[in-house]
């Protein structure tokens, strides 16, 4: 075998079970790639010793013909997931030195099934951002480059998207077989779209949030970023499941998502919402969307025009609700219990203030300020309460639409990857990235991004499928059909000079 890291997660799983490769050699191959790709800045902490020890345990199990669904498969973990005894930063200075004494339920599920932890992946600070530029550890660089005769000389470093930029870049650059990510307003789907990977945000409540550093608790969901639809299906099955420690996790069976791949989508009704057609949307996004519609039609689906008029309020509602919840969740970082504590202060109040002033970056401070404002007496009714009412209307509108259709098809992002530094001076421009993704979080719906084409500069573009609550199976069927039709095979390596 030339390079183990070329195998998809599914093929690697099978090769491990058939003893064609060992978990230890696979782990070493990935650790070598991580080492060679330091310039991408995708990994905050490499857990090489832990990875080798876990791989050894997997090899023992595999040699006895035992092991779980992911036995010996090396994964990267977004640094928002608490991992026992391993530095967990959430991309923030304020969590300096924080080594949790517990494991998040989702990562625990992955280890239960035999996966190997390679390390903790870079991300926007507290998952607030769309470009990975808010990370205290610096931006992640996308492994993709703009194509062109001089692309290898005159390279503008591109964003892999955010907030799960480290996860998306690592999967795209084959630094791990798959990665965990989280999505509060698009942070799984947007970076997946920008890096030619598959990202799945399941229904709110499908995965436990326990042990994942909270950003906006009513919106946060865990999910995988993977190389293809099958890999994402395998990962999600291990990650998902009821957990008594998260009161919002739902007690319903986790289906075998892999088993539905390839099943016919004939007769499925696919909704196309007219409000997602934005003024000034690039032609290539329009074309990609039209291609997606044509592919689903060819596969035997019925295309239904639908209307979701509340869509125009989704971004403003999100940017009230998410900061409001964040301002409350982030109140716990005060220098007392964990992480950074300011050195110079006069009394306890100034210790809190100085710690927070030093520990949080600008975007996080902006969100805490907005969130505190919209929750404050006198403004609560005008902003937060009203936003919650509109949120309910967005949910109702989707419920109505789902009486007519099984899935909804839209672009994942309004553009391909942009250059690092291009939008970081203008928060509103940055927030506009989330225009197609935030609705699914506000309504709690499952959503996924599937790589579907390249723009004129050779950069990946994704299509988004949204499904009914807890109907990830139909979503996976549709994703697989789209993947088959799109035949996306480009890899970032092709553009490397
Ligand atoms: N880009 C969005 C934000 O900054 C979404 C982030 C996320 O999903 N974690 O809030």
């Amino acid at each position: 075998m030339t390079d183990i890291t070329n195998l998809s997660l599914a093929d690697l799983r099978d090769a491990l079970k058939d003893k064609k490769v060992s978990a230890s050699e696979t782990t070493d191959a990935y650790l070598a790639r991580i080492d060679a790709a330091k310039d991408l800045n995708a990994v905050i902490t490499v857990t090489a010793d832990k990875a080798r020890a876990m791989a050894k345990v997997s090899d023992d199990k595999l040699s006895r013909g035992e092991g779980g669904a992911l036995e010996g498969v090396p994964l990267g973990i977004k640094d928002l997931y608490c991992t026992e005894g391993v530095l967990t930063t959430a991309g923030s200075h304020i969590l300096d030195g924080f080594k949790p004494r517990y494991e998040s339920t989702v990562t625990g599920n992955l280890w239960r099934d035999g996966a190997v932890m390679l390390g903790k992946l870079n991300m926007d600070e507290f998952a607030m951002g769309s470009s990975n530029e808010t990370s205290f550890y610096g931006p992640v660089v996308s492994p993709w480059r703009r194509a062109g005769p001089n692309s290898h000389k005159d390279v503008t470093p591109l964003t892999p998207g955010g907030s799960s930029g480290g996860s998306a870049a690592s999967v795209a650059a084959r630094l791990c077989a798959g990665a965990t990510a989280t999505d509060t307003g698009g942070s799984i789907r947007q970076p997946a779209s920008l890096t030619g990977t598959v990202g799945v945000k399941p229904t709110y409540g499908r995965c436990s949030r326990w042990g994942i550093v909270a950003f906006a608790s009513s919106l946060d969901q865990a999910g995988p970023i993977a190389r293809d639809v099958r890999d994402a299906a395998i990962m999600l099955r291990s990650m998902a499941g009821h957990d008594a420690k998260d009161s919002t996790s739902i007690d319903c069976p986790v289906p075998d998502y892999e088993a539905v791949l390839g099943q016919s989508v004939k007769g499925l009704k696919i909704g196309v919402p007219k409000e997602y057609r934005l003024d000034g949307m690039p032609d290539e996004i329009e074309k990609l969307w039209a291609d997606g519609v044509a592919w689903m039609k060819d596969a035997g689906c019925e295309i239904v025009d639908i209307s979701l008029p509340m869509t125009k309020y989704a971004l403003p509602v999100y940017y009230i609700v998410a900061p409001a919840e964040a301002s409350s969740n982030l109140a716990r970082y005060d220098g007392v219990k964990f992480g950074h504590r300011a050195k110079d202060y006069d009394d306890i109040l100034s210790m809190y203030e100085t710690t927070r002033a030093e520990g949080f970056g600008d975007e996080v401070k902006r969100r805490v300020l907005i969130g505190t404002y919209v929750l404050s007496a006198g403004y609560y009714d005008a902003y937060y309460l009203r936003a919650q009412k509109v949120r309910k209307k967005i949910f109702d509108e989707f419920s109505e639409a789902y009486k007519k259709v099984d899935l909804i098809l839209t672009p994942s992002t309004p553009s391909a990857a942009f250059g690092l530094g291009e939008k970081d001076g203008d928060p509103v421009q940055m927030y506009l990235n989330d225009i197609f993704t935030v609705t699914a979080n506000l309504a709690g719906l499952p959503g996924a991004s599937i790589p579907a084409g390249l723009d004129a500069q050779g950069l990946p573009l994704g299509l988004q499928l949204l499904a009914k609550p807890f109907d990830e199976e139909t979503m996976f069927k549709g994703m697989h059909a789209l993947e088959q039709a799109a035949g996306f095979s480009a890899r970032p390596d092709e553009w490397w000079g």
Side-chain angles (χ1 to χ4, degrees), residues 45 154 188 195 206 214 217 284 383 398 408 412 426-427 462 473:
T45 307
D154 177 26
I188 291 176
T195 55
R206 178 60 93 185
S217 306
E284 40 204 16
Y383 292 104
F398 272 109
I408 294 173
S412 303
D426 185 347
E473 278 175 289

Side-chain angles (χ1 to χ4, degrees), residues 172-253:
R174 293 183 289 115
L175 311 189
C176 53
T180 67
T182 61
D183 192 312
T184 302
S187 280
I188 291 176
R189 292 158 289 156
Q190 186 257 18
S193 176
L194 268 43
T195 55
T197 54
V198 173
V200 180
K201 180 202 97 73
T203 314
Y204 184 79
R206 178 60 93 185
C207 290
S208 170
R209 287 181 297 109
W210 195 82
I212 299 176
V213 175
F215 165 7
S217 306
S218 76
L219 302 162
D220 299 342
Q221 252 304 285
I225 292 186
R227 286 184 211 173
D228 60 27
V229 172
R230 183 172 302 275
D231 289 3
I234 296 167
M235 277 191 72
L236 181 61
R237 190 182 184 197
S238 283
M239 293 167 73
H242 178 242
D243 176 14
K245 289 189 284 200
D246 171 3
S247 61
T248 62
S249 103
I250 307 289
D251 195 1
C252 68

Side-chain angles (χ1 to χ4, degrees), residues 274-441:
K274 66 170 189 269
E275 290 78 9
Y276 282 58
R277 187 153 284 116
L278 305 176
D279 285 344
M281 190 151 92
D283 288 348
E284 40 204 16
I285 303 285
E286 282 276 4
K287 178 173 178 307
L288 179 87
W289 197 8
D291 285 346
V293 168
W295 293 330
M296 295 314 270
K297 211 170 173 175
D298 288 349
C301 298
E302 188 187 324
I303 307 299
V304 182
D305 288 326
I306 58 169
S307 175
L308 297 167
M310 300 303 285
T311 301
K312 60 175 174 295
Y313 301 118
L315 264 187
V317 166
Y318 174 82
Y319 278 98
I320 290 172
V321 173
E325 294 185 16
S327 69
S328 157
N329 275 326
L330 270 58
R332 73 191 70 176
Y333 305 108
D334 55 9
V336 176
K337 292 187 216 67
F338 25 55
H340 174 75
R341 179 182 297 173
K343 297 246 172 341
D344 298 318
Y345 52 85
D346 306 322
D347 54 15
I348 181 107
L349 204 61
S350 88
M351 191 277 279
Y352 294 156
E353 287 170 356
T354 318
T355 297
R356 287 168 70 82
E358 290 174 2
F360 291 139
D362 288 350
E363 184 60 29
V364 172
K365 285 179 186 158
R366 184 177 298 125
R367 307 268 179 129
V368 170
L369 286 171
I370 294 172
T372 309
Y373 178 78
V374 298
L375 289 175
S376 59
Y379 296 103
Y380 180 94
D381 289 1
Y383 292 104
Y384 187 69
L385 195 64
R386 191 171 289 184
Q388 289 290 36
K389 287 181 181 165
V390 181
R391 180 178 182 180
K392 172 73 169 58
K393 284 194 182 299
I394 292 172
F395 176 83
D396 291 345
E397 209 169 76
F398 272 109
S399 304
E400 274 306 306
Y402 280 130
K403 289 183 184 154
K404 287 185 272 177
V405 300
D406 302 294
L407 294 170
I408 294 173
L409 177 69
T410 76
S412 303
T413 50
S415 73
F418 46 94
L420 289 171
E422 223 167 80
K423 294 189 185 185
D424 69 346
D426 185 347
V428 175
Q429 273 306 311
M430 198 62 98
Y431 298 168
L432 283 170
N433 262 286
D434 307 329
I435 198 137
F436 298 140
T437 49
V438 290
T439 48
N441 302 78

